[in-house]
Amino acid sequence: MHEKEPGVAKSLCIAAVITGVLMLFILVIILAFSAGRGNSESLYDKDDPILELDVDTFGPAIYGSKKAHFVEFYSSWCGACIGYAPTFKKFAKQLEKWTPIVQVTVVNCADDKNMPLCREHSVNSYPSLRYFKYNSATKDDGMKYSGDKYDINKLAHDIAGLAQADAQKQNPESWPTFLPLSDASTLEDVFKSLGTTPYLAVIVQDSPSVIAWSNLINYYGNNGLKVAYVGQKHQIASKFFSDEGVHALLFSNGNAEPMWKSSSPIEKWMDVQEKIEELIGDKIAAKSPTIQPMNAAPVIAAPSNPLNNQYEVQLVDLKSAMSYMLYKEIPRREEIRDEPLAALKQWMHTLKKYAPGTTPMRRLFFRLDEWVQLRSVVTANEWLAQVDEIQQSLGNPLPKEITWMACAGSKPNLRGYTCGLWTLAHSITVEAYKQEKHNTAFKPVIDVLEPFRAFIFHFLSCSECAQNFTKEAEKNQLHLVTRAEDVYAWLWRVHNFVNKRLSGSLTDDPSFKKQQFPPKSLCPDCYDLNGEIDEAKALPFVFKYYSNIKTDPSETLPGYKVVEYKEGKTQSAGQRHLNPKFQIHAGKVDQLEANEKVKNVLDASPQRTWQDIDGYDNIPEGSRSHYYFIWLSLIGVALIVVYCKYRKNRSKFWKTFYYQNDFKL
């Protein structure tokens, strides 16, 4: 029995190792999947006739495709994108039958894995619309759409025009010809060409015939209806219409009298489709094309946190806002130059002086400011490499993984970065007032507020949000801010105006409604008898609120508790103070950086003299490091041998004790 036990133990050990390896493998897969999806949530679902692509599926789907793609690059947290999503869904539904010719497509740039793709396509703001032609080969084949994206009728007409131009240049075999009927064609000629197709629609429109082209795409491949078009001077048009404008006719095959004739000029392509569907929709019904999703990964829901308090300034939110800003928002474009670079320099200089957070966090911006001020052009790769280098030299004060606490929304795409950015800006204005309230040379607009406005205008990826903030700045007379205390009061007023405007919109989190700050539940004394905010009482509250940065409880705190015991009873307890480098706003960053430079200079050229100890000077200088290494290696080997002997002897003792005694331990 005893002789078999070592074998059993060995088998158990092997099983334990295999189990551990399998668990590690599963964990790696889960982490890789989670990292790929990020905390982003798509604004579109499987019921929408929209193809959602990512960095892995974009190339295979777009390049070399025998159809065109109309792509929306969006960010799931962007307020403008959230507001635009219902419009784009409606637009995609109207173009559902266009899928064999033009595929409506989206890419979520808020997903971390898609950032390189969006940067490659120079997507500087969201939502950004691009038309990729038939058989696109590279990113340069994507044409940016600059028309009114909210006018979905005009949007469809423009896409039809792009598809027609595409067809004329490339002549795709699987596309309609987009050519009008010849001037000599008669109704009888057209009927003969229909074959067994039971219905004919004729649209009268001079070039550019966008309404005709739209319906041509919509019904292309339908065996029950053929769409043709003629100019206004064509004999068919002259026979049925005397006035100018776009008109339409619907015939049954072989019958020269139309089933329907438009009584007034047509302005929308959908007007023709709606009439056709009303009259013969059940007779020409064709199954809508099925869109096969290229990425069917499930959406990761936001973790619910019932203890979350939105009315706190949390260090973790500030860290996440800074990290997202540095790693995602700023390097969205491949190159930063001219006005955007000037705005970036101003903002980094402001952060250098007034950024909230621990000393390593503020030293990060100090070094970034010194670096960027000397640049005339900054590429995305250079920026990311510099941020990483400074981060590593300071012990990575900012996290790569974004985590929201007070700024967490009920969904991953709500609140988050925009909340964190507002919190960061308020904290900066409060810190600026603390430092500069007695400085007569302090200029609130030049030193703080204008750099923030310019940064938002050039680098906030939600383009409409950025433009709206500039409008709010003009409306609230940013240029008239002169007093030091107004540096935080002005931003507080503007934020309340924005909250009032956006309250109840699609960007409003149903669990954290936008309201005036501070709310009555937080500061009842900040309101007068009429229920209006009393600025005289609210401003001191705002100042105190954004001064109180709470240390992130999601991380292990560097402070620790010391308890002394005697005979099993507590004698005393105390809390050790945090290391100054971890405290909020601790130390003078400029002095620390100056000391660091002096230290680096000394370390770069050490002046040392070696003393002769037992002939040590006789060793060549280049061999001294090897001399140290050899002795340390010998000491290490000796320690390992001693430890192994100790383990072996202890093992023998317990085996003897176990097997040769009458009792077992």
Side-chain angles (χ1 to χ4, degrees), residues 51-153:
L51 177 65
E52 183 144 15
L53 300 175
D54 59 22
V55 67
D56 299 320
T57 57
F58 186 88
I62 301 291
Y63 302 139
S65 174
K66 302 310 177 185
K67 64 172 73 174
H69 288 78
F70 190 68
V71 183
E72 180 203 10
F73 291 93
Y74 75 96
S75 175
S76 54
W77 61 259
C78 166
C81 300
I82 296 172
Y84 183 61
T87 301
F88 200 68
K89 288 181 180 183
K90 182 179 180 182
F91 165 75
K93 187 66 177 176
Q94 290 183 358
L95 268 62
E96 186 171 9
K97 294 179 181 178
W98 294 31
T99 299
I101 310 298
V102 180
Q103 173 69 67
V104 178
T105 311
V106 294
V107 174
N108 184 7
C109 294
D111 194 331
D112 289 349
K113 68 181 293 186
N114 294 333
M115 286 298 295
L117 173 65
C118 299
R119 187 181 299 125
E120 178 189 359
H121 288 268
S122 300
V123 182
N124 299 327
S125 59
Y126 309 120
S128 181
L129 304 178
R130 309 285 173 92
Y131 175 84
F132 286 85
K133 65 181 183 180
Y134 169 92
N135 202 29
S136 289
T138 68
K139 64 182 180 63
D140 297 326
D141 289 327
M143 180 186 299
K144 186 174 182 179
Y145 181 77
S146 55
D148 184 359
K149 59 180 174 287
Y150 287 95
D151 186 347
I152 57 177
N153 178 66

Side-chain angles (χ1 to χ4, degrees), residues 292-311:
Q292 296 295 337
M294 300 289 289
N295 52 331
V299 173
I300 299 175
S304 59
N305 184 5
L307 301 178
N308 180 41
N309 184 2
Q310 70 176 122
Y311 293 117

Side-chain angles (χ1 to χ4, degrees), residues 98-393:
W98 294 31
T99 299
I101 310 298
V102 180
Q103 173 69 67
V104 178
T105 311
V106 294
V107 174
N108 184 7
C109 294
D111 194 331
D112 289 349
K113 68 181 293 186
N114 294 333
M115 286 298 295
L117 173 65
C118 299
R119 187 181 299 125
E120 178 189 359
H121 288 268
S122 300
V123 182
N124 299 327
S125 59
Y126 309 120
S128 181
L129 304 178
R130 309 285 173 92
Y131 175 84
F132 286 85
K133 65 181 183 180
Y134 169 92
N135 202 29
S136 289
T138 68
K139 64 182 180 63
D140 297 326
D141 289 327
M143 180 186 299
K144 186 174 182 179
Y145 181 77
S146 55
D148 184 359
K149 59 180 174 287
Y150 287 95
D151 186 347
I152 57 177
N153 178 66
K154 177 71 163 52
L155 183 57
H157 290 176
D158 291 342
I159 292 175
L162 292 170
Q164 187 270 346
D166 207 356
Q168 295 303 306
K169 290 180 181 178
Q170 303 195 66
N171 193 27
E173 294 182 1
S174 56
W175 282 28
T177 60
F178 289 93
L179 296 174
L181 295 177
S182 65
D183 293 339
S185 297
T186 64
L187 269 178
E188 289 73 15
D189 295 332
V190 181
F191 287 148
K192 289 179 182 179
S193 68
L194 292 181
T196 58
T197 302
Y199 297 100
L200 168 70
V202 178
I203 298 173
V204 180
Q205 185 179 23
D206 289 336
S207 186
S209 311
V210 290
I211 293 178
W213 297 336
S214 298
N215 282 281
L216 202 64
I217 296 172
N218 193 61
Y219 288 105
Y220 181 70
N222 190 306
N223 295 325
L225 175 70
K226 178 180 179 180
V227 176
Y229 73 99
V230 297
Q232 291 182 350
K233 294 182 179 180
H234 194 277
Q235 57 178 312
I236 296 177
S238 301
K239 180 178 179 180
F240 292 100
F241 303 104
S242 58
D243 60 325
E244 296 183 353
V246 181
H247 285 281
L249 298 158
L250 181 62
F251 299 92
S252 59
N253 192 350
N255 191 343
E257 285 298 317
M259 300 173 56
W260 167 71
K261 180 179 76 169
S262 59
S263 57
S264 59
I266 296 170
E267 296 182 354
K268 303 176 182 179
W269 79 275
M270 287 289 295
D271 293 342
V272 178
Q273 179 192 247
E274 288 172 0
K275 196 64 181 179
I276 290 174
E277 296 300 321
E278 175 189 338
L279 295 173
I280 58 172
D282 57 332
K283 299 175 182 177
I284 63 168
K287 186 178 180 180
S288 298
T290 302
I291 299 175
Q292 296 295 337
M294 300 289 289
N295 52 331
V299 173
I300 299 175
S304 59
N305 184 5
L307 301 178
N308 180 41
N309 184 2
Q310 70 176 122
Y311 293 117
E312 289 179 347
V313 181
Q314 287 284 355
L315 182 60
V316 67
D317 290 329
L318 295 175
K319 286 182 177 181
S320 293
M322 291 174 177
S323 179
Y324 195 91
M325 175 181 69
L326 295 179
Y327 282 105
K328 301 295 189 292
E329 287 288 89
I330 292 175
R332 276 184 296 107
R333 60 194 83 198
E334 292 185 326
E335 280 191 350
I336 306 172
R337 58 171 71 240
D338 304 327
E339 284 189 26
L341 181 58
L344 180 61
K345 290 180 177 181
Q346 292 176 357
W347 180 233
M348 287 299 110
H349 196 65
T350 298
L351 286 167
K352 167 189 173 180
K353 294 189 290 185
Y354 309 120
T358 61
T359 299
M361 291 166 63
R362 292 183 295 126
R363 292 179 75 175
L364 168 65
F365 289 110
F366 188 99
R367 297 183 186 183
L368 268 179
D369 176 64
E370 284 194 330
W371 177 79
V372 79
Q373 298 299 337
L374 302 176
R375 313 287 296 190
S376 58
V377 178
V378 177
T379 67
N381 290 335
E382 289 172 344
W383 173 266
L384 291 170
Q386 188 65 23
V387 172
D388 275 336
E389 180 181 334
I390 299 175
Q391 277 263 85
Q392 292 173 12
S393 67

Side-chain angles (χ1 to χ4, degrees), residues 7-72:
V8 173
K10 184 177 180 180
S11 300
L12 290 174
C13 289
I14 294 173
V17 170
I18 294 174
T19 304
V21 171
L22 289 174
M23 291 179 66
L24 181 61
F25 179 71
I26 294 170
L27 179 61
V28 168
I29 292 176
I30 293 173
L31 290 175
F33 173 78
S34 301
R37 291 297 299 170
N39 282 333
S40 57
E41 182 180 63
S42 175
L43 300 181
Y44 304 96
D45 54 48
K46 62 181 181 180
D47 295 328
D48 299 316
I50 296 173
L51 177 65
E52 183 144 15
L53 300 175
D54 59 22
V55 67
D56 299 320
T57 57
F58 186 88
I62 301 291
Y63 302 139
S65 174
K66 302 310 177 185
K67 64 172 73 174
H69 288 78
F70 190 68
V71 183
E72 180 203 10

Side-chain angles (χ1 to χ4, degrees), residues 494-563:
V494 169
H495 196 174
N496 271 343
F497 281 128
V498 172
N499 279 346
K500 185 176 182 180
R501 176 169 56 82
L502 296 178
S503 179
S505 67
L506 291 173
T507 63
D508 202 359
D509 192 323
S511 300
F512 304 97
K513 292 287 188 179
K514 296 186 190 304
Q515 54 186 313
Q516 298 301 284
F517 184 86
K520 288 184 179 180
S521 59
L522 206 61
C523 181
D525 294 336
C526 295
Y527 288 78
D528 59 23
L529 296 177
N530 297 322
E532 299 294 329
I533 292 181
D534 184 350
E535 283 200 3
K537 295 180 179 179
L539 284 174
F541 178 88
V542 171
F543 179 81
K544 182 178 179 181
Y545 176 86
Y546 286 105
S547 299
N548 181 23
I549 299 176
K550 298 192 175 183
T551 306
D552 172 17
S554 71
E555 297 178 352
T556 303
L557 300 178
Y560 55 94
K561 188 177 181 180
V562 177
V563 182

